[in-house]
Amino acid sequence: MIKNKRILIAGGAGSIGSELVRQLAFKNKIYILDFNETGIFDLTDDLKSFKVWGRVGDIRDYKTVKDVFEDFKPQIIFNCAAYKHVPLMEYTPMEAIQTNVVGHYNLIHVAKTLECVEKFVFISTDKVVNSKSIMGATKRLAEIITLNQGKGFIVVRFGNVMNSRGSLLTIWQRQKDAGKKLTITDERMERYMMSIPQAIKLVLEAADSGQGGEIFVMDMGKKININELAEQILKITDGKKEITGLRPGETLTEEIMCEEEKKRAKKKGQFYIIKK
């Protein structure tokens, strides 16, 4: 349903951003803003027969963001740009704040000044719920900022996206290829899991039907025990595992909604919609 639009994708060279670019490029004009120079080059080269442009830049730089908006005048914005590794952000909290909060606010502030913007979709994480980490706290603050903008500003909350860059399965694959043991922080750890296609479906649904002030969450079923998942993989690969212990900011379990949000959540197909 999204067609003939000018779409800006911040973090468009990442796992989710690049898939959004590929799916939306068929019927829209796409502009990628990312500091991943090689990622932008590869993606725009793959899609050179479509109307896809890219700029190397950082959302933390207000002037860069303002220049992009003034040049491209986007109608739909997806902010996929973020620092997401929990333990790393515990050691560098100011970096998390500068990107996940200040950079996100730069996008929103400029978007609010332009009458051309119809929808703004922010990609969040289930780590915001009852967060005990710097990463989760910064993303939750960005959620609140988004929801307070009113019409057209929407939040999408992900679980753990399988096979995305830096995800559990990609880490295990790298360990397996190197002949190493699969690392597990704790045998009791459990997570909600979703695929990249599920994640993209959720984002596009939010962009298409969201009105503003809502959080869209995928119904991901039951949480998966990470140790049990590893055991299934080890049966096939004949490898071994290693328990490393929880790292700073990590928790044994995560939730997709807090108790107060569960009372307001409405089910729509495969999604929950939480209105402000």
Side-chain angles (χ1 to χ4, degrees):
M1 297 298 294
I2 302 173
K3 57 185 179 181
N4 301 322
K5 299 291 184 180
R6 297 184 303 277
I7 301 174
L8 170 64
I9 304 181
S15 302
I16 300 302
S18 61
E19 187 60 28
L20 276 174
V21 172
R22 292 180 187 280
Q23 292 202 24
L24 293 170
F26 288 93
K27 297 181 180 180
N28 302 277
K29 296 178 180 178
I30 311 293
Y31 200 104
I32 304 164
L33 176 60
D34 203 306
F35 58 51
N36 182 351
E37 176 192 22
T38 302
I40 290 178
F41 176 84
D42 291 342
L43 190 54
T44 53
D45 188 57
D46 286 346
L47 300 173
K48 56 189 173 185
S49 60
F50 297 96
K51 294 176 180 178
V52 177
W53 301 272
R55 168 163 175 173
V56 178
D58 197 328
I59 62 171
R60 308 198 309 187
D61 187 326
Y62 180 82
K63 186 178 185 304
T64 295
V65 173
K66 189 170 182 289
D67 287 347
V68 168
F69 274 74
E70 289 177 347
D71 289 345
F72 188 61
K73 295 181 175 55
Q75 296 164 288
I76 300 176
I77 302 155
F78 296 95
N79 183 17
C80 309
Y83 282 133
K84 62 181 182 179
H85 287 283
V86 169
L88 288 177
M89 293 303 102
E90 291 297 303
Y91 295 115
T92 55
M94 283 307 300
E95 294 298 321
I97 293 168
Q98 286 296 316
T99 295
N100 296 356
V101 181
V102 176
H104 177 63
Y105 180 75
N106 285 341
L107 290 166
I108 282 185
H109 181 72
V110 179
K112 290 285 284 186
T113 65
L114 298 180
E115 295 182 358
C116 61
V117 176
E118 301 169 8
K119 296 283 181 74
F120 187 113
V121 181
F122 171 57
I123 309 302
S124 189
T125 168
D126 57 4
K127 290 176 175 59
V128 304
V129 181
N130 304 319
S131 178
K132 295 179 175 62
S133 69
I134 294 294
M135 190 282 253
T138 56
K139 294 288 277 187
R140 177 54 185 158
L141 182 52
E143 279 193 355
I144 294 169
I145 291 170
T146 307
L147 296 172
N148 283 336
Q149 302 309 311
K151 184 178 179 181
F153 287 79
I154 304 147
V155 170
V156 173
R157 191 180 286 170
F158 282 177
N160 288 263
V161 182
M162 295 180 289
N163 292 322
S164 63
R165 192 169 61 191
S167 68
L168 177 66
L169 294 184
T170 58
I171 292 170
W172 280 352
Q173 183 64 55
R174 190 168 65 249
Q175 292 171 340
K176 175 182 173 295
D177 292 343
K180 298 179 179 180
K181 297 177 181 178
L182 302 190
T183 56
I184 301 166
T185 52
D186 191 293
E187 292 183 333
R188 298 167 293 170
M189 182 173 278
E190 55 185 10
R191 291 289 185 266
Y192 284 106
M193 295 284 190
M194 62 196 304
S195 66
I196 290 179
Q198 284 179 314
I200 298 302
K201 183 176 182 181
L202 177 59
V203 174
L204 295 180
E205 173 70 21
D208 185 42
S209 63
Q211 298 302 306
E214 307 124 315
I215 303 174
F216 281 69
V217 185
M218 173 73 72
D219 181 0
M220 293 171 281
K222 295 181 179 180
K223 284 177 273 193
I224 295 174
N225 180 276
I226 301 304
N227 184 60
E228 291 176 4
L229 178 61
E231 292 288 352
Q232 292 298 318
I233 293 173
L234 292 173
K235 285 180 182 179
I236 302 170
T237 61
D238 194 31
K240 295 182 179 181
K241 66 182 181 181
E242 177 183 6
I243 308 299
T244 60
L246 288 175
R247 297 171 296 179
E250 287 186 325
T251 57
L252 289 176
T253 189
E254 290 171 353
E255 301 296 333
I256 56 174
M257 293 179 273
C258 67
E259 292 302 317
E260 189 273 333
E261 288 174 333
K262 289 176 183 177
K263 296 175 184 177
R264 293 185 285 117
K266 302 295 183 182
K267 188 75 180 294
K268 179 185 177 183
Q270 295 178 289
F271 314 106
Y272 291 102
I273 301 175
I274 309 165
K275 293 191 176 181
K276 183 184 174 186

